[in-house]
Amino acid sequence: MGKYRFRLQKLLDIRIDKEEESKREFQQAKRESLNVKEKLDLLKANYEKYNNMSNFKSVIEQKITHKYLKALVYSIDKAKIELKDKEKVVEMKRNELRKRQIDRKTVDIIKEKQETAFIKEQNRIEQKANDEFALYGFIRNVQNT
């Protein structure tokens, strides 16, 4: 019985490599998005911590806190914009990954179908040879008796 050789194996290998690359890019984009989200959460927590001005006794402390809160608000706004941008990148990478998975699966399905057809053909040839051997054996037994 012969060994099956897929003629599009190089194409399948290339598509598998591209899918793996796309997975890495998606994971990297997801990590960056999570880092920005953690940064945003930390900024919001700091804002909540210092937002209550009644905790501070002197006017100087209140002014310093007010400036710090303004800086926090600016940083929070910047972080929100950055998070939206990162989420867009994550979504783009997710779509790219889906497309590459579909491309790979398409070639993989072709390979499976061709391999199944090859195995069926090999089994048919083997069965035909076995039937011929059985027929020759039967004819010899009939002639010898």
Side-chain angles (χ1 to χ4, degrees), residues 33 36-37 40 77-91:
S33 175
V36 171
K37 184 162 180 18
L40 180 62
D77 290 342
K78 240 174 99 172
K80 283 180 181 178
I81 292 169
E82 187 179 358
L83 181 61
K84 284 181 184 177
D85 292 343
K86 295 291 183 184
E87 287 174 347
K88 286 179 186 176
V89 170
V90 168
E91 193 58 36

Side-chain angles (χ1 to χ4, degrees), residues 10-114:
K10 287 182 182 180
L11 176 64
L12 180 59
D13 292 341
I14 289 170
R15 291 202 175 165
I16 288 172
D17 290 343
K18 287 188 182 257
E19 180 184 356
E20 291 301 319
E21 176 187 340
S22 191
K23 282 180 185 177
R24 285 189 298 275
E25 289 174 358
F26 172 72
Q27 289 170 345
Q28 177 66 28
K30 190 75 172 159
R31 265 192 304 274
E32 289 174 5
S33 175
L34 288 174
N35 288 341
V36 171
K37 184 162 180 18
E38 288 173 3
K39 177 181 158 187
L40 180 62
D41 291 341
L42 181 65
L43 290 169
K44 285 180 178 180
N46 282 342
Y47 182 82
E48 291 299 320
K49 181 179 175 182
Y50 293 104
N51 192 23
N52 191 356
M53 291 279 221
S54 65
N55 293 342
F56 305 104
K57 309 276 187 280
S58 73
V59 175
I60 295 173
E61 285 180 335
Q62 287 180 358
K63 284 184 178 182
I64 291 171
T65 305
H66 181 69
K67 286 186 180 190
Y68 178 65
L69 288 174
K70 283 175 76 173
L72 278 176
V73 168
Y74 175 74
S75 296
I76 287 171
D77 290 342
K78 240 174 99 172
K80 283 180 181 178
I81 292 169
E82 187 179 358
L83 181 61
K84 284 181 184 177
D85 292 343
K86 295 291 183 184
E87 287 174 347
K88 286 179 186 176
V89 170
V90 168
E91 193 58 36
M92 184 183 72
K93 295 293 182 183
R94 179 180 285 120
N95 290 335
E96 185 178 316
L97 175 59
R98 276 192 207 122
K99 181 185 175 297
R100 288 187 173 176
Q101 284 175 332
I102 290 170
D103 289 347
R104 182 206 36 97
K105 285 179 183 177
T106 302
V107 178
D108 211 19
I109 289 170
I110 291 170
K111 178 182 180 180
E112 288 174 8
K113 285 182 179 180
Q114 287 181 358

